[in-house]
Amino acid sequence: MSPSSIGVFVSTETLTLCIGEHPPARLDKALARDVPEQASLSRTRLSRLIAEGRVRCNGAVVTDAKARVAEGDEIEITLEQAAEVETVAQEIPLDVVYEDAQLIVINKPAGMVVHPAPGSPDGTLVNALLHHCGDSLSGIGGEKRPGIVHRIDKETSGLLVVAKSDKAHHALAAQFEKHTAERAYLAVCHGVPDGSDPRLRGVKGASFEPGGVLKLTTQLGRHRTDRQKQAVSFDGGRHAVTRARVLEPFGDAAALIECRLETGRTHQIRVHMAHAGHALVGDPVYGGRRKAGKALSEGAAAAVNGFARQALHAAVLGFAHPDDGRMLRFEAPLPEDMQELLAALRA
């Protein structure tokens, strides 16, 4: 009997299966292999179910994820219906770009927090999604909630995909982890990243690829003194790669750039561009008090200096649909405030 032909009975509360031939030595690994895909149980959730005493092997409760199993062992997993979450559903307008039974793509406005947290207990994207999606949420990790696959900062606008089911959440998260999802951002930065700039070529971690694409390769981690910030490092932290391409220069004072992420770390584009000496216009955390240079007109300088947030927009998002693998790709136009900023720079 192979894993693909294992007899399975799934009810609303219990999942029963037999361990297939040549199983992994550990219970959690065997379950991760043999639990049917339609059950949408991640290895993390399976480990939690084992620890909670919800897994029986040949009738006996097993709470050790490392317990040995053998071919033919009968496994019974007790599941709970998706629990209602305490987060309140709120009727907040959403710009829905795409939606089906498995996922929803939102064009998030600047100023909206993605997930409730201390200081932002409500008014978030999750609060809005709980109201919008209602009973179409089938449960994420045992809770009836939207599955946040990736986030964008509060003051960053643009596209993000949210899962409605465990199956979609696992499949989408895997794409982001493997960096196969397409993400492109539009930003306005101070100065113009130029391969002929000797200063920029001397920045550690900076290099240029064909087409004048600036590649920034560093590690990112928590700032040593300000725990709310991220910082570039070369001896610790998480690997991070950003590519930036100039789309439109404004003299040598500013530029519209496209940034593509090879990895997805907190504040990655903002930290990397600041490290390169080209902080994003309006960035209150990483831009310092940098002001527009004298090369800009009075109106353009006023627009740059008065821009109220980091000029960053998640413009493109692409991924494979978790159900049938078809490629989906979405584009969100620049929001009004960034359009007005560009109009002032062009004038």
Side-chain angles (χ1 to χ4, degrees):
M1 180 183 294
S2 66
S4 61
S5 61
I6 293 171
V8 175
F9 170 71
V10 182
S11 75
T12 56
E13 296 182 349
T14 305
L15 184 153
T16 303
L17 60 100
C18 287
I19 297 297
E21 62 183 9
H22 309 303
R26 294 168 50 126
L27 172 62
D28 58 348
K29 292 184 178 180
L31 293 182
R33 185 195 72 170
D34 290 352
V35 166
E37 183 179 350
Q38 63 265 31
S40 298
L41 294 176
S42 66
R43 183 174 168 184
T44 298
R45 190 177 178 199
L46 286 168
S47 296
R48 187 168 69 246
L49 290 169
I50 293 170
E52 292 174 352
R54 298 183 182 277
V55 176
R56 291 177 178 268
C57 180
N58 299 324
V61 173
V62 182
T63 57
D64 182 4
K66 298 179 181 179
R68 298 186 68 82
V69 292
E71 178 183 345
D73 282 348
E74 184 175 285
I75 304 296
E76 184 179 282
I77 304 174
T78 302
L79 302 172
E80 290 184 335
Q81 293 292 322
E84 298 291 339
V85 296
E86 293 183 3
T87 306
V88 63
Q90 293 178 299
E91 187 173 2
I92 301 170
L94 289 174
D95 183 359
V96 178
V97 178
Y98 174 85
E99 183 176 10
D100 61 26
Q102 294 293 325
L103 58 89
I104 182 170
V105 178
I106 300 294
N107 182 16
K108 185 187 82 69
M112 174 180 273
V113 175
V114 171
H115 200 280
S120 302
D122 55 20
T124 70
L125 179 63
V126 167
N127 296 108
L129 287 169
L130 285 170
H131 179 272
H132 174 87
C133 297
D135 291 337
S136 68
L137 297 173
S138 63
I140 305 293
E143 293 184 339
K144 197 172 182 180
R145 61 179 173 83
I148 302 301
V149 181
H150 63 124
R151 304 185 189 193
I152 54 179
D153 300 334
K154 174 183 178 182
E155 297 300 341
T156 298
S157 57
L159 296 168
L160 73 167
V161 59
V162 179
K164 291 171 142 188
S165 68
D166 253 334
K167 176 183 177 180
H169 192 249
H170 300 157
L172 291 168
Q175 293 182 56
F176 279 82
E177 183 178 353
K178 295 175 182 177
H179 315 308
T180 56
E182 179 188 7
R183 285 177 290 173
Y185 292 74
L186 295 178
V188 181
C189 68
H190 289 282
V192 181
D194 189 338
S196 64
D197 181 355
R199 180 204 62 80
L200 185 52
R201 286 193 170 274
V203 172
K204 188 174 182 180
S207 61
F208 278 87
E209 296 180 331
V213 175
L214 169 63
K215 180 181 180 182
L216 295 160
T217 306
T218 73
Q219 291 169 291
L220 292 182
R222 291 285 185 185
H223 193 281
R224 291 182 180 179
T225 58
D226 188 343
R227 306 305 290 175
Q228 301 301 312
K229 296 174 62 175
Q230 299 292 305
V232 164
S233 172
F234 294 95
D235 58 1
R238 305 179 70 187
H239 178 66
V241 179
T242 304
R243 289 177 172 85
R245 178 171 63 96
V246 175
L247 300 180
E248 185 177 359
F250 303 104
D252 59 1
L256 172 65
I257 60 174
E258 178 193 73
C259 296
R260 290 185 175 265
L261 298 176
E262 184 173 310
T263 57
R265 310 303 182 204
T266 301
H267 300 175
Q268 180 175 317
I269 291 173
R270 299 166 62 191
V271 179
H272 267 171
M273 293 309 298
H275 172 69
H278 294 284
L280 301 190
V281 166
D283 193 331
V285 178
Y286 302 101
R289 298 181 179 180
R290 186 164 178 174
K291 298 296 183 181
K294 296 180 179 179
L296 292 177
S297 68
E298 183 176 342
V304 169
N305 295 335
F307 200 72
R309 65 177 181 98
Q310 63 262 13
L312 182 61
H313 175 68
V316 177
L317 178 63
F319 53 86
H321 195 283
D323 257 352
D324 53 24
R326 74 183 187 277
M327 295 305 300
L328 300 177
R329 189 178 189 274
F330 307 96
E331 296 187 24
L334 282 173
E336 186 175 352
D337 61 347
M338 286 187 67
Q339 292 187 40
E340 291 175 352
L341 173 63
L342 291 176
L345 286 166
R346 288 167 181 150

